Amino acid sequence: MTATPTDTHPPQQAGPIDGKTLRTVCGLFVTGVTVITSGSGPHAAGTTVNSFTSVSLDPPLVLFCLHQASRLRPLVEESGAYTVNFLAGRQEPLAWAFAGKHTATLQDVEHRYSGAGVPVLSQAMAFLSCRLVNTFEGGDHTIFVGEVAELGVARADTEPLIFFRGSMGALEDEPHGPHPMFDS
């Protein structure tokens, strides 16, 4: 079977890749929205991140990426720990509060501390508290790999907050019937 383009845009771009075009194409990949928290006491902070993924089940590893100039970067490096807080659909205002250069402080948000001493947002859908095990430079970002030391699910029946085409929103309810992958 041959694929047929469904619109008038060229199917590919070769040569030097423009950052704006790359962001637009990557925006077609649906991601969840998290707030990464780190530090302790008055030096605790958080930032909104959608560049999160699991890496390994054994050992339990996850990763996320931060821009080199991120205000959270030195906190994660100094503390050697961070928490990935998964946000629910109704938490879009919280995601935006931690998304800018001048953001909300953790003192403005209900939270507690994990066993490793890093903040966990009390209203998060779920969380993973991690011990930093490695960092890698990746262009203008740093990739942080952590081993999950503690986790929790507060609201498993809640719809997640997602990021798609440059916008955040709740995952809409869809029919949950069978979705055949092949026509037999």
Side-chain angles (χ1 to χ4, degrees):
M1 175 185 284
T2 304
T4 306
T6 58
D7 59 30
T8 59
H9 297 290
Q12 63 189 43
Q13 176 184 350
I17 302 298
D18 169 67
K20 184 178 177 184
T21 303
L22 178 61
R23 176 175 268 197
T24 299
V25 171
C26 288
L28 297 174
F29 182 71
V30 178
T31 66
V33 180
T34 70
V35 170
I36 306 295
T37 52
S38 191
S40 62
H43 302 290
T47 193
T48 301
V49 167
N50 73 327
S51 61
F52 162 79
T53 192
S54 61
V55 175
S56 169
L57 296 177
D58 187 19
L61 301 175
V62 297
L63 71 77
F64 75 97
C65 305
L66 283 178
H67 193 275
Q68 296 285 348
S70 171
R71 69 197 176 304
L72 192 66
R73 184 175 182 234
L75 288 177
V76 174
E77 291 171 339
E78 289 168 17
S79 71
Y82 62 87
T83 298
V84 181
N85 298 276
F86 300 162
L87 299 187
R90 62 179 168 67
Q91 293 180 299
E92 185 176 345
L94 181 65
W96 284 116
F98 283 101
K101 290 185 183 211
H102 305 287
T103 66
T105 65
L106 280 175
Q107 290 73 20
D108 298 334
V109 180
E110 189 178 333
H111 66 281
R112 62 179 180 78
Y113 286 90
S114 71
V118 289
V120 175
L121 301 181
S122 299
Q123 300 301 313
M125 208 171 99
F127 77 93
L128 303 171
S129 182
C130 304
R131 181 182 57 80
L132 184 63
V133 295
N134 216 333
T135 61
F136 302 94
E137 298 308 309
D140 59 1
H141 280 66
T142 299
I143 303 161
F144 293 90
V145 178
E147 183 170 4
V148 178
E150 185 180 340
L151 52 78
V153 178
R155 293 170 175 79
D157 60 344
T158 303
E159 293 294 330
L161 183 61
I162 62 168
F163 187 76
F164 179 66
R165 290 187 177 162
S167 297
M168 282 190 265
L171 182 65
E172 294 180 4
D173 290 336
E174 300 237 343
H176 295 283
H179 299 284
M181 294 180 65
F182 302 100
D183 186 15
S184 46

